[in-house]
Amino acid sequence: VGLSGLITPSLDEMVDVAKQFQIRGLKQPILIGGATTSKTHTAVKIAPNYFNPEHPVIHVLDASRAVTVVQSLLSGENKEEYVEDISEEYEEIREDYYAGLEDRNYLSFQAAKENKKVIDFDAIPVAPKPRIELGSHKCAPCPLEDILDYVDWNPFFQTWELRG
């Protein structure tokens, strides 16, 4: 079963779905994906409610990766090792997450108010209003070759998990 989270409330709904799967005794793996999801959220919030070797909960970075995940789950000889690796990885993620919570030191509300940032707007004026009007604007033609050196390809490579 694939669950996709586009907006933040979807994350809570995924936890509820995993709980319902457990309550109803379902045995299907759950694949988690979508814009708001993360491996940490899957490991910390969703997996503890349903994950076991028979029916894991697995975060899939994007839909193109789902095929290889499903192949691994359907593979009789590799499934056990694959699921065990994910289980160990999720356990490490949970340990790191909860350890990070222990290291947090919060100020009291009163101490936070006393520590507030004071901004002198007379000494540091606000940014001026942009001179450009809202709406569509036509730019002068610009050959791609002229701007190619200024393109940051890192987001492209990270999104598609490419090296280069």
Side-chain angles (χ1 to χ4, degrees):
V1 173
L3 302 178
S4 179
L6 181 60
I7 57 176
T8 304
S10 304
L11 299 175
D12 293 333
E13 190 62 28
M14 291 177 180
V15 174
D16 292 338
V17 168
K19 288 177 181 177
Q20 288 301 317
F21 270 46
Q22 185 67 34
I23 289 168
R24 294 177 183 349
L26 300 177
K27 305 282 187 230
Q28 292 79 16
I30 299 177
L31 305 184
I32 303 293
T36 58
T37 65
S38 70
K39 193 177 284 190
T40 300
H41 182 266
T42 302
V44 173
K45 301 289 186 179
I46 304 172
N49 292 294
Y50 184 69
F51 193 113
N52 75 33
E54 185 181 359
H55 50 75
V57 177
I58 302 172
H59 180 260
V60 182
L61 191 59
D62 67 52
S64 68
R65 306 278 189 259
V67 173
T68 56
V69 171
V70 172
Q71 280 178 327
S72 296
L73 292 175
L74 292 175
S75 169
E77 55 197 48
N78 295 331
K79 177 185 177 183
E80 189 175 317
E81 181 181 345
Y82 178 72
V83 172
E84 181 61 30
D85 288 347
I86 290 172
S87 179
E88 290 172 6
E89 180 182 10
Y90 284 6
E91 187 58 39
E92 287 178 27
I93 290 170
R94 280 191 290 275
E95 288 172 7
D96 291 347
Y97 175 81
Y98 289 118
L101 293 179
E102 292 172 4
D103 296 340
R104 294 183 183 178
N105 295 317
Y106 294 102
L107 295 175
S108 69
F109 182 67
Q110 186 59 37
K113 285 183 5 183
E114 291 168 4
N115 195 31
K116 70 182 178 185
K117 172 107 173 125
V118 178
I119 301 171
D120 183 356
F121 288 104
D122 293 327
I124 305 170
V126 297
K129 178 182 174 187
R131 293 184 300 216
I132 192 165
E133 294 297 318
L134 296 177
S136 298
H137 300 276
K138 186 174 183 177
C139 297
C142 180
L144 186 58
E145 296 81 26
D146 291 352
I147 62 169
L148 205 52
D149 289 339
Y150 301 100
V151 175
D152 180 4
W153 291 100
N154 286 323
F156 173 81
F157 289 122
Q158 289 171 354
T159 300
W160 292 100
E161 294 183 0
L162 299 172
R163 299 203 186 277

